[in-house]
Amino acid sequence: MHEIERTERVTVVGAGLVGSLLSMYLARRGFQVDVLERRPDMRRESIGAGRSINLAISTRGLHALRQVGLEEEALRHAIPMRGRMIHPVSGALAFQAYGKDESQHINSLSRAWLNAFLMTNAEGTGRVRIGFKQRVQHLDVETGSLTVLDEPSDTTREVRTPVVFGTDGSGSAVRHEVERLPGHATTQEHLGHGYKELTIPAGPGGAFRMEKHALHIWPRGSYMLIALPNEDGSFTCTLFLPFQGPVSFESLDSPSRVVAFFQEQFPDALPLIPDLVHDFFHHPTGTMVTVKSAPWNVGGKTLLLGDAAHAIVPFFGQGMNCGFEDCVVLDACLGRHTLWAEAFEEFFRLRKTNADAIADMAVENFVEMRDKTADPRFLLEKAVEKA
Ligand code: FAD
């Protein structure tokens, strides 16, 4: 009995980056895929980009796109970042290359563009149907029955499905059901830092006002500013700051304090961010969490992937990349097994150690980025590595 081959329809909860890519992989295996997404369709209605305006895609993410024929087109919209550009409070900028030659780089890509691109290509398979404004409220993991709120009509309906994939992000509704079962556990560690997005607009004629091919970092000990380039010549900056303390979101409570803080700490960035005060007080302050859960599957009925299974803090630039790699590994497991439960168990075994390792490295990299990149000893180590 080949249970996996006999299954016709499956359900994916969440059409974010991982859910959209996963749908393509599942469609390629011949399944009809129903995707339930709580947000409106970002290709038709203007909605915020979500967790960050742009993000870095690296080798493991590109590999996952290559398998479904999307790498080339994605790279056409990406800006290669060949190293870190360190901005000290005073003195010269320092460039730390990521590798020995220019082929070793990461890429800055618009999150909204990538998400829309993945959804369009998933639907283009003819096997994926994405329902928008469909919020999953409850899942009965035993029966595979989902309670879904249709937001436009404010009515709920039941959806029966043999297999549910939970790709609904770090606050996953699917995971909340899974973690209530005996033998399942989840830990969530919130960082004492939050983040705020700010914009460096393009110069005249779409010119980049700083080095285009770099990830810019202003490391300042307990806080830092970073900036990634966008296709239109602008940069999206992210300010990471403690929520509370002497220098924090709490202490920067007036326009004059914010401007004085930037004047003192980020003097070269300040003139490049004309809407600093508006953005600082109007943009939401993001939170960051590490989620570790186990196991990710309930038999062969439900499986968590992406941030729903293993959300990590953004300092290693690997959350999405890791979620994309989940899709590649799951696809291989589906090819090796006849039963869903066996495929899911192997997937969990193969991915859990890696996901935990990346989560820990991401927290460590926060310390490196905000602190050690400014340390002369660290710069010396990098110089020796390159020599
Ligand atoms: P999400 O992107 O969160 O998508 C989940 C989807 O599920 C959403 O569309 C949501 O609307 C939907 N949903 C949620 N609940 C429900 C529900 N109940 N019913 C139906 N739908 C639901 N990663 C990188 O690889 N590189 C980077 O440079 C990078 N930078 C980052 C910067 C910041 C500031 C942050 C916060 C994160 C960054 N990440 C980065 C991490 C990356 O954003 C995540 O790992 C990635 O978005 C995970 O994708 P996902 O599809 O699992 O979850």
Side-chain angles (χ1 to χ4, degrees):
M1 179 192 59
H2 199 306
E3 188 198 21
I4 293 177
E5 271 177 13
R6 273 198 302 114
T7 309
E8 278 176 25
R9 303 196 83 86
V10 296
T11 301
V12 172
V13 181
L17 297 166
V18 176
S20 302
L21 182 62
L22 175 67
S23 305
M24 275 199 79
Y25 273 86
L26 293 170
R28 210 176 53 154
R29 286 209 164 264
F31 301 109
Q32 297 293 331
V33 188
D34 291 312
V35 187
L36 299 164
E37 168 56 52
R38 77 171 172 201
R39 291 182 301 185
D41 186 349
M42 60 168 66
R43 295 163 298 179
R44 294 187 176 82
E45 290 178 42
S46 149
I47 53 172
R51 329 241 329 251
S52 62
I53 305 271
N54 53 20
L55 31 69
I57 185 162
S58 57
T59 308
R60 66 182 73 226
L62 289 172
H63 173 73
L65 294 182
R66 194 179 314 139
Q67 307 306 305
V68 286
L70 299 183
E71 183 191 22
E72 263 184 42
E73 178 67 6
L75 282 179
R76 270 197 282 280
H77 291 266
I79 298 179
M81 297 183 291
R82 301 188 180 116
R84 301 159 164 161
M85 185 68 81
I86 306 300
H87 297 243
V89 177
S90 60
L93 300 182
F95 183 73
Q96 302 170 355
Y98 284 130
K100 292 199 190 307
D101 64 64
E102 290 193 347
S103 69
Q104 289 172 296
H105 60 258
I106 53 177
N107 303 278
S108 176
L109 200 51
S110 153
R111 175 190 291 268
W113 178 84
L114 181 60
N115 208 152
F117 172 66
L118 292 174
M119 289 193 293
T120 300
N121 278 283
E123 287 171 338
T125 61
R127 293 177 180 273
V128 177
R129 201 174 52 191
I130 308 176
F132 294 97
K133 301 181 188 175
Q134 303 296 308
R135 179 188 293 266
V136 169
Q137 292 185 316
H138 175 69
L139 163 67
D140 184 330
V141 280
E142 298 302 324
T143 60
S145 169
L146 290 152
T147 309
V148 183
L149 174 69
D150 174 69
E151 295 198 334
S153 65
D154 199 24
T155 55
T156 56
R157 65 193 166 97
E158 298 299 312
V159 174
R160 284 272 175 146
T161 177
V163 182
V164 177
F165 295 94
T167 52
D168 49 344
S170 57
S172 170
V174 176
R175 191 185 67 241
H176 290 318
E177 303 294 348
V178 169
E179 71 197 14
R180 293 217 288 246
L181 300 173
H184 287 258
T186 300
T187 60
Q188 298 194 41
E189 274 182 49
H190 287 270
L191 224 56
H193 285 65
Y195 68 92
K196 181 84 71 178
E197 290 202 325
L198 308 166
T199 303
I200 295 180
F208 287 87
R209 301 183 71 195
M210 304 188 295
E211 168 56 45
K212 174 181 176 184
H213 294 292
L215 192 160
H216 294 261
I217 309 182
W218 290 257
R220 298 292 184 265
S222 68
Y223 49 87
M224 71 170 172
L225 181 71
I226 67 166
L228 272 71
N230 296 314
E231 262 191 306
D232 65 359
S234 65
F235 287 84
T236 302
C237 305
T238 311
L239 174 66
F240 296 97
L241 203 61
F243 283 110
Q244 286 171 332
V247 182
S248 63
F249 283 112
E250 187 186 54
S251 74
L252 296 177
D253 58 359
S254 70
S256 59
R257 286 206 171 111
V258 171
V259 173
F261 170 62
F262 268 73
Q263 242 154 13
E264 191 187 296
Q265 292 299 327
F266 311 115
D268 61 335
L270 178 61
L272 303 178
I273 312 176
D275 295 330
L276 170 65
V277 167
H278 174 273
D279 291 355
F280 191 89
F281 289 103
H282 287 85
H283 288 178
T285 307
T287 57
M288 291 170 283
V289 64
T290 302
V291 174
K292 290 185 179 171
S293 67
W296 296 337
N297 68 308
V298 182
K301 286 178 175 296
T302 303
L303 181 68
L304 303 169
L305 299 96
D307 274 18
H310 49 68
I312 65 177
V313 296
F315 307 107
F316 207 42
Q318 286 297 338
M320 169 198 66
N321 286 294
C322 190
F324 280 8
E325 199 173 50
D326 285 352
C327 300
V328 178
V329 175
L330 176 64
D331 185 58
C333 293
L334 294 179
R336 280 194 288 271
H337 293 278
T338 53
L339 298 174
W340 286 105
E342 286 175 0
F344 290 177
E345 270 150 30
E346 189 194 15
F347 170 75
F348 175 67
R349 211 172 46 248
L350 292 174
R351 293 300 289 153
K352 175 65 176 164
T353 319
N354 289 327
D356 284 352
I358 286 183
D360 295 340
M361 285 160 76
V363 174
E364 282 162 24
N365 207 41
F366 183 31
V367 179
E368 174 171 325
M369 284 175 82
R370 71 178 197 206
D371 216 345
K372 292 196 195 147
T373 48
D375 182 340
R377 281 166 306 171
F378 180 79
L379 294 178
L380 185 66
E381 272 168 34
K382 287 279 152 191
V384 172
E385 262 173 39
K386 271 191 279 167

